Amino acid sequence: MASRPRILTLTTDFGADGPYVAAMKGIVLGQVPDARLVDVSHAIEPQNVREAAFILGSILDDFPRGTVHLAVVDPGVGTSRRALVVHAREQWFIGPDNGLIPLALGEDADFDARVLVNPAIRRPRVSATFHGRDIFAPVAAYVLKGGSTTELGPRAHDLVRLPPLRPREDGDGLVGEVLFRDRFGNLITNVPASSLVGRPLDSWSVTVGEETVQGVARTYGDHRPGTLIALAGSNGMVEVAVVQGDAAARLGAGPGAPVRLRSQAKGWLEG
Amino acid sequence: MASRPRILTLTTDFGADGPYVAAMKGIVLGQVPDARLVDVSHAIEPQNVREAAFILGSILDDFPRGTVHLAVVDPGVGTSRRALVVHAREQWFIGPDNGLIPLALGEDADFDARVLVNPAIRRPRVSATFHGRDIFAPVAAYVLKGGSTTELGPRAHDLVRLPPLRPREDGDGLVGEVLFRDRFGNLITNVPASSLVGRPLDSWSVTVGEETVQGVARTYGDHRPGTLIALAGSNGMVEVAVVQGDAAARLGAGPGAPVRLRSQAKGWLEG
Amino acid sequence: MASRPRILTLTTDFGADGPYVAAMKGIVLGQVPDARLVDVSHAIEPQNVREAAFILGSILDDFPRGTVHLAVVDPGVGTSRRALVVHAREQWFIGPDNGLIPLALGEDADFDARVLVNPAIRRPRVSATFHGRDIFAPVAAYVLKGGSTTELGPRAHDLVRLPPLRPREDGDGLVGEVLFRDRFGNLITNVPASSLVGRPLDSWSVTVGEETVQGVARTYGDHRPGTLIALAGSNGMVEVAVVQGDAAARLGAGPGAPVRLRSQAKGWLEG
């Protein structure tokens, strides 16, 4: 097996301020002293599996082959929901079977999934409420060390699936949703900017809440402060922003809010 | 001396967002470039030594032998309070002599404590307000490198002690306190779940604020969303939680709030 | 070229909770697996270049020679503002040309600055909104690996400059500003404690908002809880604080608030 870079990312709704994240890191470093630990977010809205999937999905391509991603947003901890390790896109993903991992990978991803049942690769006593420390962290350490995932458990079939992050077509446009509110108040949507390219960017209007923006910009910088704009954001998604301001506050919108895009032009494909 | 894993954890009330934590890390990495730094929390309630002790105490067992823990919650900085390095449970603890370290270790811990007085193992100029950078970080670097603690100063006697984190017995039950509010709003108490085992778990009632929960559950998952429950949490402590909700907001309670537990059954010991 | 410690600090206004910081770290670790990453702050007030400069400037001396500092607070992203690498004080600084880096270094610093134009040392596709990931992180990886900055682009002249962080003289005193509010509510000003030493510390009065403090203390510890004090803080700056309390809340003041210092004594230099 090729050597792995021993990079572990962590995405949870545990909060960075309690003992939970540090406990997982202690377990990993106790077994893999040279692991490189990268916090993605510990401030996922509690039990919001879709937000976690979006954030994790948006950074996968920025990490090298062999990276291990731990993603624990786990409303079902303590129930019979399964625990998984998934190998996909030459990376590993560890977390509960609640739809998060397939959603982060995208609908078309090929992957190999295993159910975590090996009692030798978990803490001797597994608590009812903290599988992050008791199951997922020991499995992460095992995978970082280059362990074979076939030892972890049988192949997992029929993984839990959530509705895709893609928008749906609606007449002459698209209906999507806000996935994430960043700390500037920018609203990142589930509409890929690439889905707009058949028609001129300035022919599109974007509606969130009570307001409609005409045109999709390529950058913040060409507009004056305070302007409400839509733009093709850094994640490749359409974002709604106020230049040097807070779009979420102005629009009263956050994760889950509907977003409607319409074009008044015929696309060049039809034209 | 056995080799040490060069893991340093940091627990402070400095906030993660100012320059203070980074300054300490710069001092440590300048001397120990391969130190592994793990933030436990920098959001301890300002000067709340008990909360810091509880959080640090709850993760000790998750870190390997030889780990160094820096714990700086320091209402007395600039006064004559002593600075300490403590060796206990095959780990090291560095911080002010204000009760935090003994409380994190528990009442029965054996330890060897030293007063930090060696002028060669601190910054040449010690400020009146930032011993984290000027004294504790250089000492942490020295201990990570394998330095002998006998060089740091004389044995410390009569360490400051705080009331223990244990609850007290009260008639047919226990009276404890909330130690920590996690970001879900779960209220973690100072009552070990192990102190309930003499009587059936469903015979216990738990009262916080105006509400009483009947029975202590083993997991979140068996209850419907919105239910107020008490359960044996991942730290081994009784927690009060709302399934997929916020118990602190519902009960109007936080750190320091009293918690009363009563059993209506006779225990098997007396029965 | 001397070996570099491969320490990278990160100072941004991205927030620690979205995907942005992790994306930059993934890019760096993919190229420099043994880089040591230190978060300074990701909670700079959005687009507040002065706050970022102050915080970064206050920790430089705590990091070793060869440290690389990434500082991305970038109101002009997507415009024609230049991107820079600066070598100064035996460290490297990477970020947009908006005044942040010179302000952090101080007015008298000697430095060598380059404009980042080499298309080989950036991501193949540069987005309009996320130069942190697409330009600055690849350049940081290149510098961490020991790359020569002359390859990155031509010498930069006429860097953007902001008004200095120093206070101005005003009659028999000084007028400055609050630069930073720490999480205790302490107000850190731009007045160096060293600028007060010509006169007795107890002869100075410090006014913020509606309140005036008589005397500048050397430490918190000699005053009773609740007392409003001014003191020579750990950054070498005059701070206004409430002992075990919140000065910002009491004074209704934050970053940018004016601070007036006056001395009622003649200094020993004139006396």
Side-chain angles (χ1 to χ4, degrees), chain B residues 22-251:
Chain B
M24 291 194 298
K25 291 178 177 176
I27 297 293
V28 171
L29 289 174
Q31 294 186 43
V32 192
D34 60 346
R36 319 309 316 269
L37 306 176
V38 177
D39 298 301
V40 177
S41 173
H42 300 293
I44 301 295
E45 188 188 356
Q47 300 155 345
N48 188 336
V49 172
R50 287 176 77 79
E51 182 188 355
F54 170 69
I55 289 182
L56 178 58
S58 71
I59 59 148
L60 298 184
D61 289 343
D62 299 320
F63 281 82
R65 285 171 56 172
T67 296
V68 181
H69 301 282
L70 192 62
V72 187
V73 175
D74 196 6
V77 65
T79 66
S80 58
R81 69 97 187 89
R82 298 181 298 182
L84 299 177
V85 58
V86 174
H87 187 210
R89 294 166 63 168
E90 304 189 275
Q91 299 183 333
W92 279 266
F93 301 84
I94 298 167
D97 179 21
N98 60 19
L100 194 164
I101 294 169
L103 201 58
L105 287 167
E107 289 159 75
D108 303 325
D110 284 322
F111 53 77
D112 177 71
R114 299 271 163 181
V115 186
L116 302 174
V117 295
N118 187 337
I121 305 169
R122 53 176 60 185
R123 299 235 305 186
R125 265 186 80 176
V126 173
S127 70
T129 57
F130 196 10
H131 290 185
R133 177 192 62 196
D134 299 340
I135 296 175
F136 298 121
V139 167
Y142 172 87
V143 175
L144 286 167
K145 286 185 290 188
S148 163
T149 55
T150 60
E151 298 294 311
L152 291 166
R155 191 155 271 141
H157 299 287
D158 298 320
L159 268 55
V160 171
R161 296 282 190 156
L162 296 173
L165 294 174
R166 291 177 313 185
R168 62 184 168 79
E169 295 191 17
D170 177 59
D172 59 346
L174 297 164
V175 175
E177 64 179 305
V178 173
L179 286 177
F180 175 62
R181 176 201 189 287
D182 74 17
R183 78 179 277 266
F184 301 99
N186 300 328
L187 300 171
I188 292 86
T189 77
N190 66 337
V191 180
S194 60
S195 65
L196 308 182
V197 296
R199 301 178 187 186
L201 281 180
D202 62 6
S203 77
W204 287 93
S205 65
V206 181
T207 303
V208 181
E210 305 284 305
E211 293 204 55
T212 297
V213 185
Q214 189 58 46
V216 174
R218 296 194 179 281
T219 166
Y220 292 102
D222 300 333
H223 297 270
R224 68 180 56 177
T227 309
L228 183 74
I229 60 172
L231 78 165
S234 47
N235 290 309
M237 298 296 182
V238 173
E239 300 180 16
V240 176
V242 168
V243 178
Q244 298 190 27
D246 185 327
R250 171 155 160 188
L251 300 172

